[in-house]
Amino acid sequence: MSAQPVMPSRLPAAEMTVGPFFPPRYSDAGANDLTRLEGEGARGEPIDIEGRVVQLDGAPTHNLIVEIWQADAAGIYAHPNDPRHLEADPNFFGWGRAATDADGRYAFRTIRPGQTRERDGTVRAPHINVLVLFSGLMRQLHTVVYFPDDGGAKDFDPLYRAVPGPRRAGVVAVAEAPGRYRFDIRLRGEGETPFFSLDDGGVR
Amino acid sequence: MAKARPGGAGGADGLGRTVITVGRFDEPSQSTPVVEGYRQTALRTPAEPLIKRPFTLSELTGPDRPERRLALLGTDLAGHGAQRALGQLIDVRLRVLDEDGAPLPGALVEMWQANAAGRYIHPNDDDHAPVDPHFYGAARMTTDATGCLSIRTIKPGAYPVPGSGRWWRPPHIHFSLWGRVWMSRLVTQMFFPGEPLNGQDRILHAVPDADARERLICRPRSPVDGPEDTLVFDHDIVVRGRRATPAA
């Protein structure tokens, strides 16, 4: 379609004007801290999840948006589709947003999620749903964070089991210290993070 | 999991509880993930196929009123009098719909755009064009009871994508929306009708289906249908399904 691309003079920032995300100035002070809502503390164990997001060449991604959605400490989603939603922690919102810095790093402070329970009784391992938005991604990307210290619960989790064995480590956070986890994301290439389809893959 | 109406936006399980479902993800209406001439797509799009998974509560729930975490911002971006932004005044009348065409009341919508000279207020934008001190170019708002909202702004300018071999982005506005569940979160762009640069835009034409591409372009009202100094455009965004607005 076009001639060889000419490298821009001000990498990496200028090239991203294809579609920067929502301007950070207005955003989102505190949107990466899920442990309190309107001043009230959420129930459960506070945990920190931090990581670095890189692209194919290993270069960090700057101003990439990471959003998370998770159940509360008891494994309940504050949404009418969860049959237990009336018991959800009113001080836990379950959603947060962070932007990566120039080194590709993001951080969340949240609550360790409990095991979620489906309508048919299936139990899912504690996990955090992750959405990635960035210029150069024509579609949003979805992945999931599991915990290394969940007592083996993820071995019975339908989404975890959907990930091909050799790639499963890519959806498990690394314990750095008690209550502190690292979850790095590689968008493409060697060690690529497993990402999930936006469609319903059907029965478990 | 109890099944609700297939493809429907809601139903009830055997106990009469509300169940919100989503239909199939409509691949033909979506953009090509790796776009020729848009270099970053080949650095950032996963090479491995996306993993098929069952839908569980995690996918079929979502945040309730995200504006409790994100401050709402006014819907008048253009300002008035001495504070008025430079450029052509426009009103964007947006309607947000689910896959059945039902309006989504109270949906959170973020928008952001370049100023009339094609410049974003964003650390990732360089100095190719001037900043307008009266234009910030971002808003965050919720739809009304009919799924609608109205944004008073200025028409964004076109701009060249640095290092892209003379690819110019046509005037466009970015939108980020929350549907009822996590699987209907959508980030997309709105284009303007009749723009000469539309025909070459690598993002608009990443959507191979002509009908789906049309869904990214707003519709002009007659100039007599609106304030004297303002052109009005209507735009529908469908967050998921066969008539979904493509992500962009």
Side-chain angles (χ1 to χ4, degrees):
Chain A
M1 184 177 192
S2 62
Q4 273 301 100
V6 179
M7 294 299 282
S9 57
R10 273 179 296 270
L11 275 173
E15 62 171 343
M16 294 180 190
T17 56
V18 176
F21 200 72
F22 196 83
R25 187 176 93 186
Y26 273 157
S27 49
D28 303 335
N32 64 341
D33 180 357
L34 287 73
T35 58
R36 44 188 62 251
L37 183 60
E38 288 143 15
E40 298 293 316
R43 293 195 287 260
E45 178 198 350
I47 56 172
D48 289 298
I49 298 182
E50 300 172 358
R52 193 161 176 266
V53 188
V54 300
Q55 61 184 34
L56 172 67
D57 48 18
T61 59
H62 186 199
N63 280 327
L64 172 142
I65 300 294
V66 181
E67 293 182 359
I68 62 174
W69 169 241
Q70 65 164 92
D72 68 11
I76 302 172
Y77 285 105
H79 183 278
N81 269 1
D82 190 324
R84 300 192 287 164
H85 76 274
L86 294 177
E87 302 157 47
D89 180 354
N91 295 315
F92 186 68
F93 188 59
W95 178 88
R97 172 187 282 176
T100 58
D101 66 13
D103 192 36
R105 294 183 190 281
Y106 72 91
F108 288 98
R109 185 160 177 78
T110 185
I111 295 290
R112 187 190 297 277
Q115 296 193 333
T116 57
R117 199 161 71 218
E118 302 297 315
R119 287 170 177 278
D120 66 4
T122 307
V123 169
R124 289 201 55 198
H127 65 279
I128 296 176
N129 308 290
V130 175
L131 172 70
V132 176
L133 303 165
F134 198 34
S135 66
L137 291 178
M138 298 299 291
R139 307 174 186 183
Q140 54 190 345
L141 294 177
H142 287 269
T143 188
V144 177
V145 182
Y146 291 93
F147 294 89
D149 44 1
D150 66 357
K154 61 178 124 9
D155 294 334
F156 303 95
D157 183 276
L159 255 79
Y160 185 74
R161 293 164 67 99
V163 180
R167 301 188 65 201
R168 286 182 182 168
V171 290
V172 182
V174 176
E176 303 263 82
R180 190 177 185 85
Y181 297 92
R182 192 180 79 243
F183 185 74
D184 292 332
I185 297 173
R186 181 172 285 259
L187 298 177
R188 186 184 180 102
E190 183 79 27
E192 185 176 301
T193 300
F195 295 101
F196 292 90
S197 166
L198 280 160
D199 216 346
D200 188 347
V203 292
R204 55 180 58 91
Chain B
M1 186 184 309
K3 264 294 183 210
R5 229 157 21 97
D13 68 4
L15 301 171
R17 296 173 294 209
T18 304
V19 183
I20 299 162
T21 61
V22 296
R24 305 295 299 185
F25 181 75
D26 189 49
E27 192 65 37
S29 71
Q30 293 296 315
S31 40
T32 308
V34 176
V35 179
E36 192 184 344
Y38 181 179
R39 196 172 64 87
Q40 290 77 23
T41 60
L43 300 174
R44 297 170 184 169
T45 305
E48 297 284 345
L50 298 178
I51 294 165
K52 290 189 167 65
R53 45 129 172 231
F55 275 6
T56 66
L57 287 181
S58 295
E59 293 74 34
L60 298 175
T61 57
D64 171 35
R65 290 171 290 142
E67 63 272 21
R68 291 194 287 164
R69 295 319 301 252
L70 298 171
L72 294 176
L73 307 167
T75 57
D76 183 351
L77 283 74
H80 296 269
Q83 306 295 313
R84 222 276 252 166
L86 294 172
Q88 168 67 60
L89 278 179
I90 60 171
D91 260 352
V92 178
R93 306 280 169 88
L94 187 71
R95 194 165 60 135
V96 183
L97 305 164
D98 72 13
E99 59 197 287
D100 293 329
L104 285 171
L108 181 65
V109 177
E110 295 176 311
M111 65 83 81
W112 64 103
Q113 64 167 89
N115 69 19
R119 171 79 185 268
Y120 290 98
I121 306 274
H122 194 286
N124 286 9
D125 204 351
D126 69 1
D127 55 2
H128 71 275
V131 165
D132 178 346
H134 303 306
F135 190 74
Y136 188 68
R140 190 182 282 135
M141 57 237 147
T142 55
T143 58
D144 66 15
T146 64
C148 295
L149 58 83
S150 178
I151 305 158
R152 180 175 177 272
T153 183
I154 52 97
K155 187 172 174 188
Y159 59 84
V161 178
S164 67
R166 301 289 171 92
W167 168 22
W168 278 67
R169 294 303 322 281
H172 64 278
I173 296 179
H174 297 263
F175 287 101
S176 150
L177 307 96
W178 282 257
R180 289 191 173 99
V181 300
W182 195 230
M183 285 299 108
S184 47
R185 180 92 174 80
L186 177 67
V187 177
T188 185
Q189 300 181 22
M190 183 194 89
F191 295 79
F192 290 84
E195 289 292 330
L197 292 167
N198 283 352
Q200 311 155 44
D201 186 58
R202 295 172 191 171
I203 289 178
L204 182 57
H205 285 271
V207 179
D209 181 80
D211 282 348
R213 251 188 340 262
E214 277 304 307
R215 300 204 285 275
L216 291 170
I217 302 174
C218 61
R219 304 179 310 277
R221 285 192 190 175
S222 159
V224 301
D225 187 4
E228 189 174 27
D229 59 354
T230 307
L231 289 171
V232 180
F233 294 90
D234 288 300
H235 191 55
D236 287 350
I237 295 180
V238 181
V239 294
R240 185 157 171 120
R242 294 288 300 270
R243 297 288 301 159
T245 305

